[in-house]
Amino acid sequence: MTSLPPEPNTTDWAAERYQTLAARLQPISEALCATADLRAGERVLDVACATGNAALAAARRGCAVTAVDLDPGMLAVTRRRSTTEHLPVEVYAGDAQRLPFPDRSFDAVLSAYGAMFAPDAGATARELARVCRPDGRIALANWSPGGVIDEVFAALHRHLPGSPDLTRAVDAWGTAGKLRAIFPAARVTTAARHLDLRSTSREAWSDMFLHSFGPAAPGPADVTGTATALRAGLLRAFGNHTFPDGPGVRIRHAYLEAVITPLR
């Protein structure tokens, strides 16, 4: 087990920018912890924690929380948020496909649209189950096929040459049937959920997304052409899920909430 070294003096701006978006998605993690029925004193692991939304949501419920991610910048933001909000979280660097923890270490294992992006879905699922105690629970919030984030990922892949096709992760983790296939020795309960994000306009939300989501930032070689095409693609994607909301709009973000109980 490798503990993250002390936070550097320089800020990882990509992670800080992402937190602008992650802050708006915090309700998904709060709802996930409520569905998992986390109780004070339970040992909880947040896998692929990014900037710590699920970890901090669990800490608010009085759990003993550990967070793990591959990205040192994301972990630095998680640590800063933990300190600022006075919510203790132990932070470690690690891969969701090879978690640096002993078997049966945690009462509950969480991941909010994080572990689903590890390259090997089967290995990741086995690791989530391995570190969860018998009859514990694995609680996941995964983006849904056909939802706005699925369409956004398709736009990114289409307009950014060489970018990964993240829609494959949505397909692999975003339905009850696929989850049951990758967790064959478990009881899987799922529910379709959504979060309506409010903005002054879909244009404003698209611009915020372009600024905040690291893979969406075009490279310096083709800033104008790439940014124009990508922004148009994002506007179409967000527009397909946008509804009037007084003077502004609400943009529906569909996701699948799952509670998985390993059976041993």
Side-chain angles (χ1 to χ4, degrees):
M1 185 183 302
T2 303
S3 178
L4 189 72
E7 184 174 350
N9 293 327
T10 57
T11 302
D12 187 308
W13 290 112
E16 290 289 350
R17 285 198 305 271
Y18 175 72
Q19 178 53 24
T20 304
L21 172 62
R24 301 290 296 275
L25 299 174
Q26 183 69 44
I28 292 176
S29 292
E30 303 294 340
L32 183 66
C33 289
T35 297
D37 192 26
L38 298 184
R39 296 178 288 273
E42 287 192 306
R43 300 161 299 163
V44 176
L45 175 66
D46 180 10
V47 177
C49 66
T51 55
N53 278 3
L56 293 171
R60 287 188 191 96
R61 299 175 72 91
C63 299
V65 182
T66 301
V68 62
D69 199 282
L70 275 175
D71 187 327
M74 295 290 187
L75 292 172
V77 175
T78 299
R79 176 183 276 117
R80 175 179 57 75
R81 294 180 68 198
S82 169
T83 300
T84 300
E85 299 183 36
H86 303 285
L87 295 169
V89 174
E90 292 189 11
V91 177
Y92 293 93
D95 186 343
Q97 301 163 116
R98 294 180 297 276
L99 291 170
F101 307 106
D103 295 357
R104 305 180 179 192
S105 297
F106 300 96
D107 301 301
V109 178
L110 311 176
S111 189
Y113 42 87
M116 63 182 291
F117 296 111
D120 189 330
T124 302
R126 288 190 292 273
E127 282 294 273
L128 298 181
R130 179 184 66 78
V131 300
C132 188
R133 68 166 171 79
D135 298 320
R137 58 262 196 231
I138 302 164
L140 306 176
N142 298 330
W143 299 120
S144 299
V148 66
I149 296 299
D150 194 24
E151 292 190 29
V152 164
F153 288 160
L156 292 174
H157 186 58
R158 186 181 308 117
H159 296 294
L160 293 179
S163 63
D165 184 2
L166 300 178
T167 63
R168 295 179 180 178
V170 177
D171 178 67
W173 290 79
T175 67
K178 293 294 181 66
L179 282 181
R180 292 190 176 101
I182 62 175
F183 289 96
R187 183 171 62 251
V188 178
T189 303
T190 64
R193 307 289 191 200
H194 69 265
L195 173 67
D196 283 345
L197 292 177
R198 266 70 177 182
S199 183
T200 54
S201 67
R202 68 186 175 111
E203 290 82 4
W205 184 256
S206 295
D207 289 343
M208 191 282 294
F209 189 91
L210 273 169
H211 175 74
S212 302
F213 189 65
D222 187 22
V223 172
T224 302
T226 299
T228 299
L230 179 56
R231 186 172 187 270
L234 291 178
L235 282 171
R236 285 191 295 272
F238 286 124
N240 291 337
H241 303 270
T242 296
F243 305 91
D245 188 42
V249 298
R250 54 189 172 88
I251 303 171
R252 178 149 298 180
H253 289 59
Y255 65 97
L256 184 75
E257 192 178 70
V259 176
I260 300 153
T261 305
L263 302 177
R264 297 188 180 96

